[in-house]
Amino acid sequence: MNWYDYIVVFIILVIFVVALVNLIRNKNCSSCSSCPYSGNCHEKKKGIKSNQ
Amino acid sequence: MLIALVGNQNCGKTTLFNALTGSSQHVGNFPGVTVDSKVGIVKNSKVKMEVVDLPGIYSLSPYSNEEIVTRDFILKKKPDIILNIIDATNIERNLYLTLQLAELNVPMVVALNMMDEVKNAGNSIDLNLLETELGIEVCSISAQKNEGIDELVEHIKRIASQRILPKKDDICLPTSPVHRALHAMMNLIEDHAKKINYPVRYVATRLIEGDALLEKEIELNENEVDMLGHIVKEMETDSNLDREASLAKMRYEYIDNISQKCVHRVRIFTPEQIRSNKIDRILTNKYLAFPIFILIMGLIFYLTFGLVGTFFSDLLETGINEFILLVRQGCENLEMNPVVISLLCDGVLGGVGSVLSFIPIILILFFFLSLLEDSGYMARIAFIMDKPLRKLNLSGRSFVPMLIGFGCSVPAVMATRTLTSERDKKLTILLVPFMSCSAKLPVFSLLTAAFFGVNAVWIMILLYVIGIVTAVLVAALCKLIIKGKPTPFMMELPTYRLPSGKTTLLLMWDKAKDFIKKAFTIIFVASLIIWFLQSFDLHLYYVENNENSILASLAKAITPVFSLIGVNDWRVTSALITGLSAKESIVSTLTMLLGNTPIESIMNSLQGFSVLVFILLYMPCVATFATIKRELKSTSKAVLFMIIQTLIAYIISMMIYQIGSLF
C-alpha cells in the first residue's frame, strides 16, 4: 500500500463514521427519502421543531 | 412571545406560517397537510416571537386528534396570543371556530386571508364593523402574495404585550334557553374551572355540548353531574333541539347577524368557486371520475417511467459510470492497492452511484404529484375514493395517508394520526406499506428494465396496481376480522388553483436533498458493509471471487427460504435483506454483487416478476418500522405488522411463481 491508499481509506472511514453517527442520531427519520412532509427531518437545523 | 396559529383546514395556515417565519414547510391545496404542529421564529422581529402552526380544525370539540392537539395546546401551553386565520371567501363557516376561540379568554387577533379573492369577486367586508361585532382586532392579509404580513406582526406585538382580550364572549340572546343554561352552568362549575385555570364560560359551553373529556378533567361530584344533566335537559326541552344543535344554532345565528352587517356580496360565489364547480362537474362526475383518474395517473406513470424519466436517468447513469471509470483509471495509474481501488470504485462509488442515477425519475414523479396536489385535484381523488373505501369498511380519511404512502411510508404512517378511530388507524397503518413508496422506484426501474425491456413501463404500472389490489384484499379480509364501522369522512374540497411554481420547486428540491442525503448516509453505510462482507472470507482474507466471501456463506444459508418465490441465488437474497435498511439498498447491493454479470443471466423474467412483487409488499424499511412502533406505542404490535406484511408478500409472490411455472 502506498500513501494514496492510506489517504483514500482514511477519508472513506471518516465519511463512514460520520454517516453512521448521523444515522444513529436521527434513527427515526434520516432514512426517509422523498418524504412529501420532509419538514420533520430538517426542522431543527432551521430553528423549526416538531411538537410531536 | 408564543403565538398559536389556529384556523380551519386549508385556509392558508402553513402559507402564513412560512410568510411569518421565512421557512418552507410543505404547503398543499389539500386539507390536512399539517399533521403535526410546527414551531418557527417570526423573521425580522426585534422581540423573539415563536409561532406554532397547529393542525386545521373546524371546532374545538374533541372529535378528532387535531382538535384535541389544538385545544390542549391553547389551554395547557397558554400562548400569549391566538392568531386566528380565516378564509375570507368562506367567512361564515370560519367564524364558528373564531367564536369558540374567543371563549378561551386569550388575547387574539383575526387574520382575514384571501381578501384578494373576495375583492376579485366584487365583494367586500367591512373590517371596522367586523372588529366591533367580534370584539377582536381584524387584519386583512393575502398570505400567498405576502400582503399585510408586516401590519399583522405589529398587531400581534401590540395585542399580546397589552394583553387585549376578546371583548365579547356573551353572544346569546338574553331570553334564549341557551343563555339560561349557560349562566346556570357557569354558576355550577365556576370553582372547578378556576381550580384547573380554565375560562369559566368555555368550560360551561363545552359541558353543555357534552364534552366527556372535560367533564372528567374538572372532577364534578355526583350532585353536580345530576345538576348538569338537569340544566341540559331543560335547555333541550325549551329549545326543542339537542344539546349540540342548541349551541351550534346560537353561534350560527350570531354569525348570520355579523355576516349580514359586515359582508357585502355582489356575487355569492367567487370566480374561482364558479370555475371549480364547472371543473368538478366533469372531474367528480359519477361516471367519469374514475376513468379520468386512471387516465391521469397512467399518463403520469408513462411520462415518468417510460419516456422522460428513463431518458434522464439513463443519461445520469452513463455520466456516473464514466466518472467511476475515470477514477478507476486514475487509481490504477497511481498504482494503488487493488483492494483499495475496489473499495473506492465498487464499494463507495458503485453503491452510491447506482442509487443516485434514479434521481430524475423520482423528481419527475413528484413534479407531477405536486401539480395534482397544488391544483386541488388530489382532494377530489380522496373524495371519489370515499365510497369504495367505505365498502371495504375503511373511512375515506384513510385514503389521505395511503396517498402519501406513494411518496414515503414514514409520513404516511404519521398521517394516520388524523384518523379518529383506533380501528381505522391500525388498519390504515397495516395497508400503507403496500403502496409503492418512491424508495422502491429505483429497484423497480432497474429490474423491470432488465427483465421486461420495452414493456417495463407496463410492468411498473402493474406493480402499483398489485400494491393497491393487495391493500384492498387485506382490507376486505380485515373487515371480517375487525368489527366496527368506519368513522364518517368530512372533507372540504378546495377550489382549483393554478399550481404554484414555488411550491412545486420546493417540493422537488426537498426530494432531491432527501435522496442525496440518504445516498450518502444509509446507502453509503450499507454499501461499505456489503463491500466488506463480499470482499473477505471468514478468515478475513481478500477474495477475488465473491462466491467464497462471508456474505455468500451467510446468504447461501438463507436462500432456500426464498426458493419458493423463485430466488435461488445468494446475491438476490443478500439484496432482499439489505433492502430492510432502505429499499434503494437493493439496487446498490445488486450492482456491487453482480458486477458485470447481467441479472437476466441468473433469473428468468418469471423469477424477476415474483421478486419484484415480493419487494413491493414485504416489510418496509427500518425508518417505517420505527414510525409504526411510535404510532402504535407498541413494539410487539409493530413486529406483528411486519410479520403479517412479509407473510402476505411471501404468499402472493409464491403464488405468482408457482402458478407461472406451470405454463
Side-chain angles (χ1 to χ4, degrees):
Chain A
M1 294 227 314
N2 61 36
W3 62 277
Y4 295 119
D5 296 317
Y6 288 110
I7 292 175
V8 170
V9 172
F10 176 75
I11 293 171
I12 291 173
L13 273 180
V14 169
I15 302 175
F16 181 78
V17 171
V18 171
L20 204 62
V21 169
N22 191 299
L23 279 178
I24 293 165
R25 282 174 62 184
N26 306 304
K27 61 179 185 234
N28 287 344
C29 64
S30 63
S31 53
C32 166
S33 81
S34 321
C35 163
Y37 295 80
S38 58
N40 278 341
C41 300
H42 311 292
E43 289 146 359
K44 281 173 191 161
K45 284 181 195 161
K46 295 178 189 166
I48 299 166
K49 58 179 188 281
S50 165
N51 261 357
Q52 190 198 322
Chain B
M1 184 188 295
L2 187 59
I3 306 162
L5 178 56
V6 191
N8 284 186
Q9 287 187 352
N10 211 40
C11 68
K13 284 181 303 303
T14 307
T15 311
L16 177 59
F17 177 82
N18 287 345
L20 285 169
T21 60
S23 63
S24 52
Q25 288 293 305
H26 179 68
V27 180
N29 188 14
F30 189 61
V33 163
T34 309
V35 179
D36 195 8
S37 52
K38 301 272 187 307
V39 189
I41 308 290
V42 175
K43 61 177 179 182
N44 306 330
S45 170
K46 284 176 191 164
V47 187
K48 191 189 173 194
M49 298 164 85
E50 257 193 350
V51 54
V52 183
D53 180 17
L54 292 156
I57 52 167
Y58 292 103
S59 75
L60 286 177
S61 329
Y63 293 127
S64 70
N65 290 340
E66 298 104 303
E67 286 168 350
I68 295 171
V69 165
T70 304
R71 199 179 81 157
D72 283 355
F73 180 84
I74 298 170
L75 288 172
K76 300 201 164 101
K77 298 262 173 165
K78 309 254 178 238
D80 297 294
I81 186 165
I82 296 172
L83 169 54
N84 175 212
I85 178 166
I86 283 181
D87 173 0
T89 62
N90 209 338
I91 191 165
E92 286 85 357
R93 201 205 50 220
N94 282 249
L95 282 176
Y96 191 87
L97 177 66
T98 308
L99 295 182
Q100 285 192 314
L101 291 170
E103 285 172 356
L104 294 169
N105 217 25
V106 173
M108 187 169 157
V109 61
V110 167
L112 214 50
N113 193 23
M114 303 186 203
M115 274 300 281
D116 46 336
E117 285 188 25
V118 173
K119 283 175 194 161
N120 286 346
N123 301 334
S124 64
I125 297 172
D126 187 334
L127 295 184
N128 292 332
L129 194 58
L130 185 64
E131 265 186 10
T132 316
E133 289 295 324
L134 285 173
I136 304 164
E137 290 198 29
V138 179
C139 283
S140 154
I141 62 159
S142 170
Q144 203 177 18
K145 294 179 181 165
N146 220 3
E147 288 170 5
I149 306 298
D150 292 340
E151 293 83 347
L152 177 66
V153 173
E154 289 310 312
H155 268 72
I156 292 171
K157 278 183 196 164
R158 186 173 47 76
I159 294 167
S161 59
Q162 295 175 13
R163 285 202 58 78
I164 302 174
L165 298 172
K167 292 188 179 73
K168 277 188 185 176
D169 62 353
D170 204 353
I171 55 168
C172 44
L173 290 171
T175 50
S176 69
V178 176
H179 181 85
R180 284 196 298 275
L182 261 173
H183 285 268
M185 190 67 80
M186 282 160 74
N187 279 330
L188 179 73
I189 53 90
E190 189 172 3
D191 292 342
H192 293 279
K194 282 181 178 166
K195 206 166 132 190
I196 54 169
N197 206 14
Y198 282 4
V200 180
R201 188 184 166 90
Y202 167 75
V203 176
T205 51
R206 296 301 317 129
L207 290 181
I208 290 179
E209 283 178 302
D211 189 329
L213 287 177
L214 195 62
E215 193 178 321
K216 207 173 157 191
E217 205 176 337
I218 65 165
E219 295 171 346
L220 295 177
N221 64 35
E222 213 171 296
N223 271 345
E224 287 164 333
V225 173
D226 281 349
M227 285 287 287
L228 189 153
H230 177 72
I231 292 168
V232 171
K233 201 167 181 186
E234 199 172 35
M235 180 194 74
E236 286 179 331
T237 315
D238 291 348
S239 63
N240 217 10
L241 288 167
D242 71 29
R243 57 207 295 179
E244 284 177 273
S246 304
L247 280 165
K249 184 171 178 266
M250 177 261 288
R251 290 194 187 106
Y252 276 120
E253 276 175 355
Y254 189 71
I255 292 168
D256 273 349
N257 181 33
I258 293 180
S259 169
Q260 277 172 17
K261 285 182 188 166
C262 309
V263 183
H264 306 291
R265 284 197 174 93
V266 179
R267 293 184 223 167
I268 296 173
F269 296 111
T270 63
E272 288 83 2
Q273 286 166 333
I274 295 168
R275 189 182 57 207
S276 286
N277 289 341
K278 279 182 187 165
I279 300 172
D280 268 340
R281 262 179 235 151
I282 301 165
L283 293 188
T284 57
N285 177 283
K286 197 175 170 185
Y287 303 105
L288 294 175
F290 271 105
I292 290 175
F293 170 55
I294 292 167
L295 202 72
I296 290 175
M297 293 314 285
L299 188 68
I300 289 176
F301 286 149
Y302 180 70
L303 288 173
T304 308
F305 307 128
L307 212 66
V308 193
T310 319
F311 171 75
F312 286 110
S313 188
D314 288 348
L315 207 67
L316 189 62
E317 192 188 353
T318 313
I320 291 171
N321 286 342
E322 287 297 318
F323 175 72
I324 295 173
L325 204 67
L326 214 68
V327 174
R328 191 184 290 275
Q329 278 169 355
C331 292
E332 280 166 359
N333 289 344
L334 289 170
E335 293 178 351
M336 282 172 65
N337 188 307
V339 181
V340 179
I341 296 176
S342 168
L343 167 68
L344 181 65
C345 297
D346 303 330
V348 178
L349 299 177
V352 175
S354 62
V355 172
L356 280 182
S357 62
F358 292 98
I359 282 187
I361 288 185
I362 284 165
L363 288 188
I364 291 168
L365 178 66
F366 278 93
F367 167 75
F368 288 121
L369 291 183
S370 164
L371 293 188
L372 289 191
E373 184 184 330
D374 214 22
S375 62
Y377 183 61
M378 208 71 111
R380 268 75 185 178
I381 302 175
F383 167 73
I384 60 173
M385 288 303 288
D386 183 45
K387 208 173 165 185
L389 279 175
R390 200 156 284 281
K391 285 187 181 155
L392 293 168
N393 221 14
L394 263 175
S395 163
R397 264 179 170 244
S398 301
F399 186 70
V400 179
M402 284 155 109
L403 208 64
I404 298 168
F406 285 115
C408 175
S409 299
V410 171
V413 170
M414 279 167 62
T416 58
R417 275 184 218 164
T418 57
L419 302 175
T420 38
S421 97
E422 271 301 302
R423 176 191 156 282
D424 283 358
K425 186 176 171 177
K426 280 180 192 159
L427 196 50
T428 312
I429 288 178
L430 183 67
L431 302 183
V432 156
F434 294 135
M435 304 296 118
S436 179
C437 74
S438 59
K440 291 172 191 164
L441 276 184
V443 192
F444 293 166
S445 297
L446 179 85
L447 297 183
T448 52
F451 291 112
F452 303 100
V454 286
N455 294 320
V457 63
W458 303 112
I459 299 296
M460 195 83 103
I461 294 173
L462 183 64
L463 285 169
Y464 273 82
V465 173
I466 290 174
I468 296 166
V469 171
T470 307
V472 166
L473 291 176
V474 173
L477 196 70
C478 289
K479 187 180 172 182
L480 303 172
I481 303 163
I482 311 170
K483 299 288 173 195
K485 281 190 173 173
T487 45
F489 176 44
M490 190 187 76
M491 183 173 174
E492 184 187 344
L493 291 183
T495 52
Y496 286 103
R497 288 185 198 139
L498 268 181
S500 141
K502 191 183 163 195
T503 308
T504 308
L505 286 176
L506 269 176
L507 188 78
M508 288 172 74
W509 167 239
D510 269 347
K511 295 279 154 297
K513 217 169 49 181
D514 281 345
F515 197 77
I516 292 168
K517 190 188 166 199
K518 194 174 182 182
F520 284 98
T521 50
I522 196 153
I523 306 295
F524 179 84
V525 170
S527 299
L528 276 197
I529 294 171
I530 291 295
W531 175 85
F532 176 80
L533 293 175
Q534 67 129 5
S535 302
F536 293 90
D537 65 12
L538 289 166
H539 305 286
L540 295 182
Y541 288 121
Y542 184 71
V543 289
E544 288 295 332
N545 184 353
N546 59 17
E547 286 285 339
N548 307 319
S549 65
I550 305 171
L551 189 64
S553 314
L554 295 173
K556 278 176 186 170
I558 307 169
T559 302
V561 177
F562 295 105
S563 62
L564 286 176
I565 64 165
V567 176
N568 299 315
D569 193 285
W570 66 272
R571 289 168 288 195
V572 183
T573 308
S574 310
L576 291 178
I577 292 166
T578 54
L580 299 182
S581 62
K583 299 293 172 197
E584 297 95 328
S585 294
I586 296 175
V587 171
S588 52
T589 307
L590 281 176
T591 311
M592 265 193 288
L593 296 180
L594 290 170
N596 293 325
T597 315
I599 191 163
E600 309 92 278
S601 65
I602 59 165
M603 292 169 97
N604 61 31
S605 53
L606 177 64
Q607 288 171 306
F609 186 64
S610 167
V611 168
L612 276 166
V613 173
F614 185 75
I615 293 168
L616 166 76
L617 304 173
Y618 84 133
M619 63 181 283
C621 63
V622 278
T624 309
F625 172 75
T627 314
I628 292 178
K629 193 182 107 183
R630 202 173 57 208
E631 291 301 322
L632 293 177
K633 297 181 185 78
S634 159
T635 309
S636 55
K637 278 182 192 160
V639 171
L640 182 70
F641 274 38
M642 299 291 130
I643 294 172
I644 293 173
Q645 279 152 358
T646 310
L647 267 179
I648 290 170
Y650 194 88
I651 291 167
I652 294 177
S653 301
M654 187 179 71
M655 280 165 63
I656 289 171
Y657 180 64
Q658 297 299 334
I659 294 170
S661 302
L662 298 175
F663 301 100

